[in-house]
């Protein structure tokens, strides 16, 4: 896969959804995590756009995307929004790639809208919030504390991202992740925090039919490899790859390996 020549990146700001896209070919959609936005996927846009039409959204309420009308935000509503966005991109079946909270949304999308999902890649994510026994009340209170103190995500992005990134991340990649988090408002982050503690897709996993690749960082403390092992064990035919030395920000920390694994997965799905 040639990644040397530049790709033309386009930003689209619609009435409902905003996204960044590049390339032509089969559709690949990228769903970012709790502290991300469309610009968190730059390494994947650059690498995959030579063969695919790659689109990375701003989660509803993030960046340039309109907030959902539902309060509180639910995973059913987010999966429905992702399905509508795929429709806005042309309505074809998409290779769906999600990281962290985006991987949670991707699970529901694959289970509830299987006709739209050509393949599934789940990165740094889990089948249920607090699978290791984390108390949702305590976790939520800690994440909301800086917002309750009047801070915006840009004010504490470095501290949060340093705590979840592996030691191998480059400074340039880290700064890109900071810029992605700085595009989130306090109100949007609060809604997502309230939503994420409700996550539990375990009963849906056996119904997922899309060819599935599960990627985990060896040193990810937010969503340890054991979470990914559960996903791989309960999604029929899923494959698990643990990326050595990586933390939670997989696509930014190990872009060459992640891009290679993604390209192999997409290519194998299309060949089949």
């Amino acid at each position: 896969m040639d990644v040397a020549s530049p790709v033309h990146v386009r930003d689209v700001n619609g009435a409902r959804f905003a996204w960044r896209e590049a390339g032509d070919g089969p559709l690949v959609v990228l769903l970012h995590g709790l502290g991300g936005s469309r610009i968190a996927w730059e390494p994947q846009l650059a690498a995959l756009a030579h063969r695919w039409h790659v689109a990375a959204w701003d989660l509803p309420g993030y960046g340039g995307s309109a907030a959902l009308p539902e309060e509180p935000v639910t995973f059913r509503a987010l999966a429905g929004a992702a399905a509508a966005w795929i429709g806005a991109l042309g309505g074809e079946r998409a290779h769906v790639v999600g990281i962290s909270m985006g991987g949670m949304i991707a699970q529901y999308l694959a289970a509830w809208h299987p006709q739209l999902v050509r393949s599934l890649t789940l990165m740094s994510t889990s089948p249920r919030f607090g699978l290791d026994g984390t108390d949702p009340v305590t976790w939520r209170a800690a994440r909301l504390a800086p917002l309750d103190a009047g801070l915006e995500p840009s004010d504490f992005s470095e501290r949060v991202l340093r705590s979840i990134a592996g030691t191998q991340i480059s400074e340039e990649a880290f700064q890109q992740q900071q810029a992605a988090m700085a595009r989130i408002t306090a109100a949007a982050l609060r809604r997502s925090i309230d939503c994420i503690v409700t996550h539990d897709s375990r009963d849906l996993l056996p119904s997922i039919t899309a060819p599935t690749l599960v990627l985990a960082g060896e040193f990810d403390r937010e969503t340890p490899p054991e979470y990914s092992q559960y996903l791989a064990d309960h999604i029929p035919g899923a494959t698990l790859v643990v990326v050595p030395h990586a933390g939670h920000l997989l696509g930014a920390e190990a872009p060459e390996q992640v891009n290679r694994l993604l390209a192999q997965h997409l290519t194998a799905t299309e060949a089949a």
Side-chain angles (χ1 to χ4, degrees):
M1 181 174 57
D2 176 20
V3 298
S5 57
V7 298
H8 176 59
V9 175
R10 307 174 292 274
D11 281 307
V12 182
N13 295 291
R16 184 176 179 188
F17 301 111
W19 67 91
R20 175 166 287 190
E21 64 180 8
D24 296 297
L27 179 62
V28 181
V29 297
L30 308 175
L31 310 179
H32 62 76
L34 178 72
S37 61
R38 59 179 146 173
I39 67 172
W41 292 102
E42 296 303 282
Q44 286 65 55
L45 280 169
L48 299 178
H50 292 272
R51 182 167 174 181
W52 290 277
H53 172 200
V54 189
W57 78 346
D58 282 336
L59 184 81
Y62 281 45
S65 289
L68 293 174
E70 295 90 349
E71 289 284 355
V73 171
T74 65
F75 278 108
R76 183 169 290 279
L78 289 171
W85 176 52
I86 291 172
L89 288 165
E92 62 182 289
R93 298 175 72 208
H95 297 288
V96 177
V97 182
I99 187 167
S100 195
M101 184 178 180
M104 298 172 189
I105 298 168
Q107 294 169 54
Y108 296 106
L109 178 67
W112 290 332
H113 304 275
Q115 75 282 2
L116 296 177
V117 181
R118 189 172 187 179
S119 77
L120 183 64
T121 303
L122 304 175
M123 300 168 52
S124 305
T125 193
S126 74
R128 181 176 77 90
F129 179 85
L131 193 67
D132 60 355
T134 298
D135 175 51
V137 174
T138 302
W139 184 92
R140 176 180 176 275
R143 295 330 184 259
L144 291 179
L147 304 178
D148 292 339
L151 300 179
E152 290 288 332
S154 59
D155 297 321
F156 52 87
S157 62
E158 180 171 11
R159 174 179 59 79
V160 169
L161 294 171
R162 290 288 183 199
S163 72
I164 63 176
T167 58
Q168 303 297 313
I169 192 169
S170 71
E171 190 57 32
E172 180 182 2
F174 185 83
Q175 290 177 4
Q176 184 68 39
Q177 296 300 301
Q178 269 195 277
M181 187 169 177
R183 299 179 68 247
I184 311 169
T185 65
L189 187 61
R190 184 181 294 273
R191 287 191 293 267
S192 291
I193 289 169
D194 285 341
C195 179
I196 205 170
V197 295
T198 71
H199 170 55
D200 189 348
S201 64
R202 290 174 297 173
D203 289 345
L204 298 175
L205 298 180
S207 71
I208 293 176
T209 57
T212 301
L213 173 66
V214 184
L215 300 180
E218 180 185 9
F219 300 136
D220 185 354
R221 296 188 299 269
E222 287 292 299
T223 51
E226 292 79 8
Y227 289 17
S228 292
Q229 185 68 62
Y230 187 102
L231 291 168
D233 287 344
H234 291 82
I235 297 174
T239 299
L240 170 64
V241 178
V242 177
V243 179
H245 311 299
H248 191 63
L249 305 177
L250 263 184
E253 294 181 46
E256 291 185 4
Q257 184 168 357
V258 167
N259 293 342
R260 182 173 64 253
L261 290 166
L262 282 173
Q264 291 172 351
H265 181 52
L266 307 188
T267 300
T269 298
E270 290 169 1

